Amino acid sequence: MIEIRGIVAVFCMILPFGNDIFACAGCRNPNMPSTRSEASTLRVGELQLGTTFGITMVDVVHESGCLDVTNCNETFQQPLYLHDQRLIPAQLSIQGDMAVNKILSFGLRIPARMVGSSIDYTTPEGNPYQPLDEGIHHRNEIVTGLGDIESVMHLRGELKGYLLSGRFGFSLPTGKTEPNPFELGEQGKSHQHIQFGNGTFDPLIGIDVSKFVGLWIFIAYLEGKTSLYENKQGFQAGSRVSTGLQSGRQVRGSLSATLGLEWSQEEPERWNGKILSEGNLGRSELLSLLSLRKSFEKSDLSGSIHIPLYRDIVTTEDSEGSFSSPITVSLGWYRKFFLW
């Protein structure tokens, strides 16, 4: 019990004091919660099936309308007002991993996604406002759908006491994609910013290096995903890279805990080959991690939380607003079976 309290105390010491930042209106197409594909520890002929659930909260506030209605270039000429949008993105993934031999294993992840959205419009003074284009940009709604399925090959080995694991694979364009929302918005037409997939075959790669030191295990990892071309809607997602350090140990019986830091970098998205000032212009984040895992005879349960320590979202003068996403929670269940 002392070990658990100590790990939690260390995690609380690195929590941020605030999370509201200036950010772009284009960030209302939120990244979905996901759980990192960790290095496989399966034995030969072993199959692991599991499910993970991740959920987060996002609050985006940005301006619309014109300070001077008599000199307004927007489609709907109306006074300055605020969009206050709250999003709850969630993802449920079913995944399987099978070890063919001591070196090679294969994995498949099938994600189902949901985003709940609610919107309030107010004047700069905080009074309720009903815009002329209500419902065109945002709506009170829940959208669901299949995400992009990922297929991965794992290679693992050992070198001078270090455990090495590499992942190579690609994602399939199984998630629903939307036409250019900024183009439709300029035309005064209803549109959707939330994309459930990239609509392209995207390569992904990752590597883990881990080492046991006494009762502790230390892990360093690097992984990335990129879109090489635009989809049929003209959308090309920005490349994403993340790297991190983790340290964990068994704290009581079959209960283990992990602390970590993760740095992630996302490049700008493109529409028809162009980076739009109102779109996702890129972002950088430093996240803290606390994870607990309980092992049973034939299955494991896990839970983790990510809290941002630093966040930088690229903006232009015309796209600034406030953005807050204070915590991401993930839960997982895994069970192993011997096939031969």
Side-chain angles (χ1 to χ4, degrees):
M1 186 62 68
I2 295 178
E3 293 88 345
I4 298 176
R5 291 175 180 172
I7 290 173
V8 173
V10 172
F11 181 74
C12 291
M13 291 174 62
I14 61 176
L15 295 183
F17 292 100
N19 188 244
D20 291 338
I21 62 171
F22 289 108
C24 58
C27 294
R28 43 182 191 264
N29 176 23
N31 293 332
M32 301 296 180
S34 62
T35 302
R36 188 177 70 87
S37 299
E38 299 179 0
S40 175
T41 58
L42 300 178
R43 289 175 284 183
V44 177
E46 196 170 29
L47 170 68
Q48 178 176 271
L49 297 178
T51 181
T52 59
F53 176 76
I55 188 168
T56 188
M57 298 174 291
V58 179
D59 187 23
V60 180
V61 181
H62 67 95
E63 294 180 346
S64 190
C66 300
L67 281 172
D68 183 6
V69 180
T70 61
N71 186 24
C72 184
N73 295 323
E74 293 197 3
T75 304
F76 294 87
Q77 298 181 358
Q78 52 191 326
L80 190 69
Y81 68 100
L82 300 179
H83 295 225
D84 185 354
Q85 187 180 25
R86 292 159 299 281
L87 299 163
I88 302 179
Q91 176 170 297
L92 176 67
S93 295
I94 298 174
Q95 57 196 61
D97 294 275
M98 183 182 68
V100 177
N101 52 43
K102 293 182 179 180
I103 299 176
L104 178 64
S105 63
F106 294 94
L108 186 70
R109 175 176 295 185
I110 304 173
R113 295 176 168 178
M114 183 275 296
V115 180
S117 173
S118 63
I119 181 71
D120 289 322
Y121 303 103
T122 64
T123 64
E125 295 75 29
N127 299 316
Y129 178 77
Q130 185 171 356
L132 300 176
D133 54 349
E134 184 177 11
I136 289 180
H137 298 282
H138 317 297
R139 292 160 293 278
N140 295 328
E141 62 181 347
I142 298 177
V143 292
T144 60
L146 183 68
D148 286 345
I149 296 175
E150 294 183 353
S151 176
V152 180
M153 176 179 67
H154 297 261
L155 296 174
R156 56 182 176 171
E158 185 175 349
L159 179 63
K160 296 182 179 181
Y162 290 89
L163 302 176
L164 307 177
S165 174
R167 297 181 297 282
F168 312 90
F170 54 89
S171 63
L172 302 172
T174 51
K176 183 182 178 182
T177 60
E178 299 288 341
N180 190 330
F182 306 105
E183 187 177 275
L184 293 174
E186 290 179 356
Q187 298 171 6
K189 297 179 180 179
S190 179
H191 54 272
Q192 179 62 263
H193 286 272
I194 298 169
Q195 306 275 349
F196 281 93
N198 291 342
T200 51
F201 290 89
D202 296 341
L204 51 94
I205 187 171
I207 185 171
D208 289 25
V209 179
S210 58
K211 184 177 178 61
F212 282 95
V213 180
L215 297 176
W216 292 85
I217 183 172
F218 296 88
I219 303 171
Y221 60 89
L222 173 68
E223 58 186 20
K225 180 180 180 180
T226 187
S227 293
L228 302 177
Y229 59 99
E230 65 183 36
N231 65 21
K232 62 182 181 180
Q233 308 283 8
F235 172 75
Q236 183 176 353
S239 300
R240 298 181 185 178
V241 177
S242 62
T243 183
L245 296 172
Q246 295 182 2
S247 177
R249 60 163 291 176
Q250 195 171 5
V251 292
R252 187 178 184 184
S254 59
L255 179 66
S256 59
T258 299
L259 282 173
L261 292 173
E262 178 175 294
W263 174 265
S264 63
Q265 181 80 35
E266 182 178 1
E267 296 302 309
E269 67 183 22
R270 286 174 167 82
W271 287 96
N272 299 314
K274 298 180 180 180
I275 299 175
L276 303 181
S277 62
E278 293 184 348
N280 186 347
L281 302 178
R283 59 194 289 172
S284 304
E285 291 182 306
L286 177 64
L287 303 174
S288 57
L289 163 73
L290 172 62
S291 176
L292 296 175
R293 191 179 187 108
K294 175 70 173 178
S295 297
F296 300 93
E297 183 178 356
K298 295 182 179 180
S299 62
D300 291 352
L301 290 175
S302 68
S304 64
I305 56 175
H306 282 87
I307 294 180
L309 303 176
Y310 168 82
R311 179 178 280 142
D312 177 35
I313 298 179
V314 181
T315 66
T316 64
E317 185 175 339
D318 296 330
S319 65
E320 286 188 352
S322 67
F323 174 94
S324 176
S325 181
I327 188 171
T328 298
V329 178
S330 298
L331 301 173
W333 172 86
Y334 312 88
R335 180 160 182 168
K336 296 178 179 179
F337 305 86
F338 280 103
L339 300 182
W340 66 83

